[in-house]
Amino acid sequence: MRKVTVMAGMVSLAFLFVGCQNSGDELNAQDQETVETDDSELEEPEMENDENDDSGGDDSSEAPEYETIEAEERYSIITHLVDEDQAFYTAYSINRDENGTLENSLVESDPSEQQMLRAYADLSVESQELTVQFNAEGNELATTTAQTTAFYESLFGISDLYGMKEIVFLNPDGETDIIVAEREVNAPLNVEEERGATRGYYTVYDEALEETLFLSGGALEERVINDEDERLSFSETVEKMTTIDREDSFYASAIVEGIEIVDARMDNGVASVQYTMEEEIVSEADRTVFENAIQLAALDFDVSELEMLNDTLQERVLYPLIE
């Protein structure tokens, strides 16, 4: 009897051991299944995101599509004299037409009484250098003091807005030694140095022409330098154009009430301005003046193209600028 009892106890222990082992295996299997299930649940959203990225499906946050309008490739810049407070200012206008070239703009803007550039000179452009070959000297190229100032301001201003870096004057013998508009010139002229620092453009209305003209910020002594003593960046320039420093100014901002700048930037030679407009108060003429001022501002940065994004009308206007 005692032997049987011992055997029975051993059998009971064996079953107990096997039962515990089976229970442990079942728990491990359940744990493993739980881990695998959790891992799959974590991975599933990530796969969904990848699919959305690759498919490029509908996304409500995508930028709206704009109707693209391409402006005439060529532009003309003409200068005009503005008399304000017994002081003369050189003002600019910009228009798009197929005949727009640097040479034509300079000839049409020549303020000298005898029209020197039309009558006594041949103009040619190579790369970023303008050559003015004169076929006469002496009195034919003489000017008054007022005409001298206007002549060179027009010459350097327009040349700069067409991306020129140097101007070479040649006498009838093809040499760089000549007196033009009371100034002796015997070396190439640096356009940027001659024109000086300028950023931004502001408006003045010419009643005789019945046209809005533009004055450069540098000529008006508006702020053109930032806090780091550097010329304003493109975005800083557009922001500055919304305000006038002089309280008693005879000129105004081209960014009228109702136009709000959303973004302004320049990247890889392309300038971009995004804006909204209140159609109830902003006329088509206001919009044209605004976009013309921005074109001139962009030209000071030698950009190849300006992109104007009108969020209100969902229009994207492309203005080709310096080639």
Side-chain angles (χ1 to χ4, degrees):
M1 291 292 293
R2 183 179 301 172
K3 185 179 295 187
V4 174
T5 302
V6 171
M7 289 295 294
M10 293 179 62
V11 171
S12 299
L13 288 173
F15 277 112
L16 178 61
F17 176 75
V18 172
C20 291
Q21 187 174 10
N22 289 340
S23 299
D25 292 342
E26 291 177 1
L27 289 172
N28 290 335
Q30 292 175 359
D31 291 342
Q32 182 66 29
E33 183 179 354
T34 301
V35 171
E36 292 176 354
T37 301
D38 292 343
D39 289 343
S40 65
E41 290 176 353
L42 290 173
E43 293 174 359
E44 186 175 358
E46 185 175 343
M47 293 173 62
E48 290 178 356
N49 289 337
D50 291 342
E51 290 176 359
N52 288 338
D53 290 342
D54 294 339
S55 65
D58 293 338
D59 186 351
S60 59
S61 64
E62 288 184 357
E65 293 187 2
Y66 297 86
E67 177 189 359
T68 298
I69 301 171
E70 296 188 4
E72 168 66 43
E73 184 175 358
R74 295 181 178 274
Y75 60 90
S76 296
I77 295 177
I78 306 300
T79 56
H80 313 264
L81 280 180
V82 175
D83 183 3
E84 288 290 341
D85 299 328
Q86 298 181 342
F88 287 96
Y89 295 87
T90 297
Y92 301 87
S93 62
I94 180 169
N95 298 288
R96 295 274 166 175
D97 60 76
E98 59 183 10
N99 296 319
T101 64
L102 168 60
E103 296 91 331
N104 288 342
S105 295
L106 288 172
V107 169
E108 293 299 323
S109 301
D110 187 353
S112 63
E113 184 176 352
Q114 64 273 44
Q115 289 286 291
M116 288 187 297
L117 297 181
R118 184 189 301 274
Y120 303 111
D122 295 318
L123 283 64
S124 61
V125 175
E126 183 175 352
S127 185
Q128 293 178 299
E129 182 180 274
L130 167 67
T131 298
V132 184
Q133 171 78 61
F134 289 97
N135 54 40
E137 291 188 84
N139 292 334
E140 289 82 359
L141 307 183
T143 57
T144 65
T145 301
Q147 288 178 351
T148 297
T149 301
F151 175 82
Y152 281 105
E153 284 188 355
S154 176
L155 176 69
F156 294 128
I158 293 176
S159 298
D160 190 28
L161 292 169
Y162 271 92
M164 295 296 103
K165 300 302 180 185
E166 284 189 342
I167 298 176
V168 177
F169 285 169
L170 299 177
N171 62 26
D173 296 327
E175 300 171 341
T176 56
D177 185 12
I178 190 171
I179 297 176
V180 179
E182 312 307 310
R183 175 175 176 174
E184 183 177 0
V185 181
N186 51 29
L189 302 171
N190 185 291
V191 173
E192 183 177 6
E193 290 179 359
E194 294 285 350
R195 191 182 187 206
T198 185
R199 286 290 186 263
Y201 288 81
Y202 303 84
T203 65
V204 60
Y205 186 75
D206 190 303
E207 294 183 357
L209 296 174
E210 296 184 347
E211 182 181 358
T212 297
L213 305 177
F214 302 92
L215 302 166
S216 69
L220 297 172
E221 298 183 358
E222 289 285 331
R223 184 168 60 88
V224 298
I225 304 296
N226 61 21
D227 295 336
E228 286 73 37
D229 290 331
E230 298 175 345
R231 293 191 189 185
L232 298 178
S233 66
F234 180 69
S235 60
E236 291 172 333
T237 296
V238 174
E239 180 181 1
K240 176 63 191 70
M241 286 171 60
T242 63
T243 61
I244 300 293
D245 289 341
R246 293 172 52 179
E247 295 182 358
D248 59 343
S249 64
F250 63 89
Y251 53 91
S253 170
I255 307 175
V256 299
E257 182 181 356
I259 293 179
E260 181 177 351
I261 305 297
V262 176
D263 186 42
R265 63 182 63 192
M266 187 175 67
D267 186 33
N268 293 326
V270 176
S272 178
V273 174
Q274 183 179 1
Y275 70 99
T276 61
M277 55 182 280
E278 297 181 30
E279 295 182 82
E280 297 78 7
I281 61 176
V282 177
S283 67
E284 186 62 27
D286 291 332
R287 181 189 176 192
T288 299
V289 167
F290 163 62
E291 296 199 358
N292 283 347
I294 297 296
Q295 287 182 73
L296 290 170
L299 284 170
D300 278 343
F301 291 85
D302 294 339
V303 300
S304 60
E305 186 177 65
L306 170 65
E307 175 187 61
M308 297 294 295
L309 298 170
N310 186 322
D311 286 351
T312 303
L313 301 180
Q314 294 295 286
E315 287 183 354
R316 174 175 176 260
V317 184
L318 298 179
Y319 292 102
L321 296 177
I322 295 174
E323 297 179 0

